[in-house]
Amino acid sequence: MTGRFDIAAVRAFVGERPFAAGESYAAEGRVELIAVEDDGLSAHVIGGEDTYLVELRGWSGEGGCTCLAYDKFGPCKHMAAAALAFNAMDPQSLAKVRGRLSRL
């Protein structure tokens, strides 16, 4: 991924309440980007009791999450948190995770 997420599109995709919770998660440092590839990203997001795997594809936040809320309701706060954390990364930090999966 070479650009940044369209935050208005992510907000519309996940909904206002999950987006607000995702903002808090990102600000609290609950997101660890696992890998950033040309077509998306993978991240761990620490929830209340578990850590969830989030995968995002595309700039509006499409993707999935391993949390129960995603299974029941669709797009979730963990997805918003991952997009926001990605957008907040400085270029040097981003370079460390870019292509990580392909190097394994």
Side-chain angles (χ1 to χ4, degrees), residues 3-101:
R4 297 289 184 194
F5 283 96
D6 177 345
I7 296 304
V10 172
R11 183 189 307 265
F13 185 66
V14 303
E16 195 61 42
R17 289 183 67 194
F19 184 85
E23 283 182 308
S24 295
Y25 276 30
E28 293 167 5
R30 294 183 180 208
V31 179
E32 176 189 8
L33 291 181
I34 300 168
V36 175
E37 304 296 331
D38 289 340
D39 61 342
L41 66 83
S42 299
H44 284 146
V45 180
I46 301 169
E49 296 182 21
D50 288 309
T51 299
Y52 303 104
L53 175 62
V54 172
E55 294 188 355
L56 298 178
R57 304 286 177 254
W59 294 114
S60 61
E62 296 95 355
C65 181
T66 58
C67 74
L68 294 175
Y70 180 81
D71 286 341
K72 289 183 180 182
F73 308 111
C76 64
K77 61 188 171 189
H78 308 111
M79 296 169 73
L84 290 161
F86 173 83
N87 278 15
M89 289 187 78
D90 62 80
Q92 187 176 29
S93 297
L94 189 56
K96 290 179 182 178
V97 295
R98 183 171 298 288
R100 185 182 286 169
L101 289 180

